[in-house]
Short mmCIF file of all heavy atoms in Angstrom, two decimals:
data_model
loop_
_atom_site.label_atom_id
_atom_site.label_comp_id
_atom_site.label_asym_id
_atom_site.label_seq_id
_atom_site.Cartn_x
_atom_site.Cartn_y
_atom_site.Cartn_z
N MET L 58 19.68 -4.41 -3.23
CA MET L 58 19.09 -5.61 -2.59
C MET L 58 17.85 -6.08 -3.40
O MET L 58 16.77 -5.73 -3.10
CB MET L 58 18.74 -5.45 -1.14
CG MET L 58 18.44 -6.81 -0.35
SD MET L 58 18.07 -6.49 1.37
CE MET L 58 17.68 -8.09 1.84
N PHE L 59 18.14 -6.80 -4.53
CA PHE L 59 17.12 -7.01 -5.38
C PHE L 59 16.09 -8.15 -5.05
O PHE L 59 15.04 -8.24 -5.42
CB PHE L 59 17.59 -7.36 -6.83
CG PHE L 59 18.46 -6.26 -7.42
CD1 PHE L 59 19.88 -6.33 -7.44
CD2 PHE L 59 17.87 -5.11 -7.80
CE1 PHE L 59 20.53 -5.37 -8.11
CE2 PHE L 59 18.56 -4.10 -8.40
CZ PHE L 59 19.96 -4.14 -8.51
N SER L 97 -3.60 3.58 -13.27
CA SER L 97 -4.94 3.01 -12.84
C SER L 97 -6.16 3.52 -13.61
O SER L 97 -7.06 2.76 -13.85
CB SER L 97 -5.06 3.34 -11.33
OG SER L 97 -5.10 4.76 -11.24
N LEU L 99 -6.13 4.39 -16.80
CA LEU L 99 -6.06 3.90 -18.25
C LEU L 99 -6.53 2.22 -18.11
O LEU L 99 -6.76 1.74 -19.19
CB LEU L 99 -4.64 4.06 -18.74
CG LEU L 99 -4.40 5.47 -19.07
CD1 LEU L 99 -2.86 5.64 -19.63
CD2 LEU L 99 -5.16 5.89 -20.39
N LEU L 104 -11.94 -2.01 -21.08
CA LEU L 104 -13.20 -2.43 -20.80
C LEU L 104 -14.36 -1.74 -21.53
O LEU L 104 -15.45 -2.34 -21.62
CB LEU L 104 -13.50 -2.39 -19.24
CG LEU L 104 -12.72 -3.37 -18.37
CD1 LEU L 104 -13.05 -3.23 -16.95
CD2 LEU L 104 -12.72 -4.77 -18.79
N ASN L 115 -29.63 -1.64 -27.71
CA ASN L 115 -31.13 -1.54 -27.38
C ASN L 115 -31.24 -0.50 -26.32
O ASN L 115 -30.76 -0.63 -25.30
CB ASN L 115 -31.65 -2.85 -27.01
CG ASN L 115 -31.62 -3.85 -28.31
OD1 ASN L 115 -31.75 -3.38 -29.39
ND2 ASN L 115 -31.33 -5.17 -27.89
N LEU L 148 -2.46 -3.33 -7.73
CA LEU L 148 -3.53 -4.37 -7.73
C LEU L 148 -4.66 -4.09 -8.61
O LEU L 148 -5.09 -4.98 -9.43
CB LEU L 148 -3.94 -4.66 -6.30
CG LEU L 148 -5.13 -5.57 -6.17
CD1 LEU L 148 -4.59 -7.03 -6.46
CD2 LEU L 148 -5.66 -5.57 -4.71
N LEU L 173 -3.92 -18.69 -25.26
CA LEU L 173 -3.00 -17.47 -25.19
C LEU L 173 -3.62 -16.54 -24.08
O LEU L 173 -3.11 -16.08 -23.23
CB LEU L 173 -2.72 -16.84 -26.42
CG LEU L 173 -1.86 -15.55 -26.41
CD1 LEU L 173 -0.38 -16.05 -25.99
CD2 LEU L 173 -1.75 -14.86 -27.86
N ALA L 178 -4.35 -14.12 -18.77
CA ALA L 178 -5.27 -13.81 -17.70
C ALA L 178 -4.67 -14.43 -16.44
O ALA L 178 -4.68 -13.80 -15.20
CB ALA L 178 -6.61 -14.33 -17.91
N GLY L 230 0.26 -19.95 -11.38
CA GLY L 230 1.26 -20.46 -10.54
C GLY L 230 2.71 -20.02 -10.78
O GLY L 230 3.59 -20.12 -9.94
N VAL L 238 7.45 -20.85 -2.54
CA VAL L 238 8.53 -21.77 -2.25
C VAL L 238 9.66 -20.99 -1.53
O VAL L 238 10.32 -21.38 -0.52
CB VAL L 238 8.99 -22.47 -3.49
CG1 VAL L 238 10.43 -23.17 -3.22
CG2 VAL L 238 8.02 -23.38 -4.04
N ASN L 253 2.09 -12.32 8.47
CA ASN L 253 1.13 -11.46 9.23
C ASN L 253 -0.20 -11.77 8.72
O ASN L 253 -1.28 -11.14 9.13
CB ASN L 253 1.36 -9.99 8.81
CG ASN L 253 0.97 -9.07 10.05
OD1 ASN L 253 1.28 -9.51 11.31
ND2 ASN L 253 0.55 -7.88 9.84
N ASN L 279 0.68 -2.82 20.42
CA ASN L 279 1.93 -3.35 20.98
C ASN L 279 1.58 -4.38 22.07
O ASN L 279 2.18 -5.46 22.20
CB ASN L 279 2.65 -2.20 21.75
CG ASN L 279 3.27 -1.20 20.73
OD1 ASN L 279 3.43 -1.45 19.58
ND2 ASN L 279 3.65 -0.05 21.20
N GLY L 293 6.20 -22.61 21.23
CA GLY L 293 7.21 -23.09 20.20
C GLY L 293 6.72 -22.97 18.76
O GLY L 293 6.96 -23.76 17.93
N ARG L 330 -19.62 4.29 4.39
CA ARG L 330 -18.43 4.77 4.93
C ARG L 330 -17.22 3.99 4.40
O ARG L 330 -17.23 2.92 4.08
CB ARG L 330 -18.45 4.45 6.62
CG ARG L 330 -19.62 5.11 7.18
CD ARG L 330 -19.71 4.69 8.63
NE ARG L 330 -20.79 5.26 9.33
CZ ARG L 330 -22.01 4.71 9.38
NH1 ARG L 330 -22.33 3.50 8.63
NH2 ARG L 330 -22.96 5.19 9.96
N LEU L 341 -6.53 11.93 7.09
CA LEU L 341 -5.57 11.92 5.99
C LEU L 341 -6.23 11.82 4.70
O LEU L 341 -5.80 12.59 3.65
CB LEU L 341 -4.64 10.81 6.13
CG LEU L 341 -4.01 10.62 7.63
CD1 LEU L 341 -3.14 9.34 7.63
CD2 LEU L 341 -3.20 11.77 7.95
N ALA L 346 -9.99 19.00 -0.77
CA ALA L 346 -11.33 19.50 -1.00
C ALA L 346 -12.09 18.43 -1.85
O ALA L 346 -13.29 18.20 -1.66
CB ALA L 346 -11.29 20.88 -1.68
N ILE L 347 -11.36 17.90 -2.93
CA ILE L 347 -12.00 16.87 -3.80
C ILE L 347 -12.47 15.66 -2.91
O ILE L 347 -13.56 15.15 -3.17
CB ILE L 347 -10.95 16.40 -4.93
CG1 ILE L 347 -10.91 17.56 -5.87
CG2 ILE L 347 -11.39 15.08 -5.39
CD1 ILE L 347 -9.93 17.08 -7.04
N THR L 351 -16.65 14.82 -1.39
CA THR L 351 -17.31 13.64 -1.93
C THR L 351 -17.20 12.34 -0.98
O THR L 351 -17.14 11.16 -1.45
CB THR L 351 -16.64 13.21 -3.32
OG1 THR L 351 -15.28 13.03 -3.10
CG2 THR L 351 -16.89 14.38 -4.27
N TYR L 379 -22.46 -11.06 -17.88
CA TYR L 379 -21.53 -10.16 -16.97
C TYR L 379 -20.86 -11.18 -15.99
O TYR L 379 -20.55 -10.58 -14.87
CB TYR L 379 -22.40 -9.13 -16.32
CG TYR L 379 -23.02 -8.13 -17.33
CD1 TYR L 379 -24.49 -8.08 -17.36
CD2 TYR L 379 -22.40 -7.37 -18.15
CE1 TYR L 379 -25.13 -7.29 -18.16
CE2 TYR L 379 -22.89 -6.57 -19.10
CZ TYR L 379 -24.28 -6.48 -19.16
OH TYR L 379 -24.94 -5.65 -19.94
N THR L 394 -15.52 -10.59 3.83
CA THR L 394 -16.43 -11.10 4.85
C THR L 394 -15.71 -12.13 5.82
O THR L 394 -15.81 -12.16 6.94
CB THR L 394 -17.61 -11.80 4.30
OG1 THR L 394 -18.36 -10.89 3.42
CG2 THR L 394 -18.59 -12.40 5.28
N SER L 432 -41.58 -0.44 -11.37
CA SER L 432 -41.04 -1.68 -11.91
C SER L 432 -40.12 -2.26 -10.84
O SER L 432 -39.61 -1.63 -9.79
CB SER L 432 -40.21 -1.29 -13.15
OG SER L 432 -39.27 -0.35 -12.91
N LEU L 438 -34.36 -0.47 -5.48
CA LEU L 438 -33.46 0.64 -5.11
C LEU L 438 -33.51 1.03 -3.52
O LEU L 438 -32.36 1.12 -2.89
CB LEU L 438 -33.89 1.97 -5.86
CG LEU L 438 -32.88 3.17 -5.98
CD1 LEU L 438 -31.50 2.54 -6.65
CD2 LEU L 438 -33.43 4.23 -6.80
N GLY L 443 -30.99 0.70 1.85
CA GLY L 443 -30.86 0.27 3.24
C GLY L 443 -29.73 -0.60 3.66
O GLY L 443 -29.21 -0.39 4.72
N ALA L 449 -24.41 0.29 10.88
CA ALA L 449 -23.43 1.17 11.48
C ALA L 449 -22.30 0.53 12.09
O ALA L 449 -22.29 0.00 13.28
CB ALA L 449 -24.23 2.04 12.59
N TYR L 527 13.57 3.80 21.89
CA TYR L 527 13.80 5.15 21.23
C TYR L 527 14.03 6.28 22.35
O TYR L 527 14.75 7.12 22.15
CB TYR L 527 12.70 5.67 20.28
CG TYR L 527 12.46 4.56 19.22
CD1 TYR L 527 11.16 3.89 19.19
CD2 TYR L 527 13.50 4.10 18.46
CE1 TYR L 527 10.83 2.95 18.21
CE2 TYR L 527 13.19 3.20 17.46
CZ TYR L 527 11.97 2.59 17.35
OH TYR L 527 11.73 1.59 16.33
N ASP L 575 35.94 4.45 17.64
CA ASP L 575 36.01 2.89 17.79
C ASP L 575 35.35 2.32 16.57
O ASP L 575 34.21 1.89 16.29
CB ASP L 575 35.06 2.52 19.01
CG ASP L 575 35.12 1.09 19.32
OD1 ASP L 575 35.76 0.30 18.48
OD2 ASP L 575 34.79 0.56 20.40
N ASN L 652 33.40 17.57 -11.42
CA ASN L 652 33.04 18.48 -12.35
C ASN L 652 31.43 18.57 -12.48
O ASN L 652 30.81 19.47 -12.82
CB ASN L 652 33.66 18.05 -13.69
CG ASN L 652 35.11 18.59 -13.82
OD1 ASN L 652 35.48 19.52 -13.30
ND2 ASN L 652 35.99 17.76 -14.53
N ARG L 657 26.56 21.62 -11.57
CA ARG L 657 25.14 21.78 -11.01
C ARG L 657 25.19 22.75 -9.87
O ARG L 657 24.13 23.50 -9.74
CB ARG L 657 24.75 20.50 -10.54
CG ARG L 657 23.26 20.36 -10.13
CD ARG L 657 22.74 19.06 -9.74
NE ARG L 657 23.54 18.26 -8.83
CZ ARG L 657 24.34 17.28 -9.10
NH1 ARG L 657 24.57 16.96 -10.49
NH2 ARG L 657 25.06 16.75 -8.16
#
Side-chain angles (χ1 to χ4, degrees):
M58 187 178 177
F59 299 110
S97 62
L99 290 172
L104 295 179
N115 296 325
L148 175 69
L173 181 66
V238 170
N253 217 38
N279 296 339
R330 301 168 182 86
L341 311 180
I347 282 181
T351 56
Y379 300 118
T394 300
S432 59
L438 201 59
Y527 305 118
D575 188 349
N652 280 329
R657 187 171 55 257

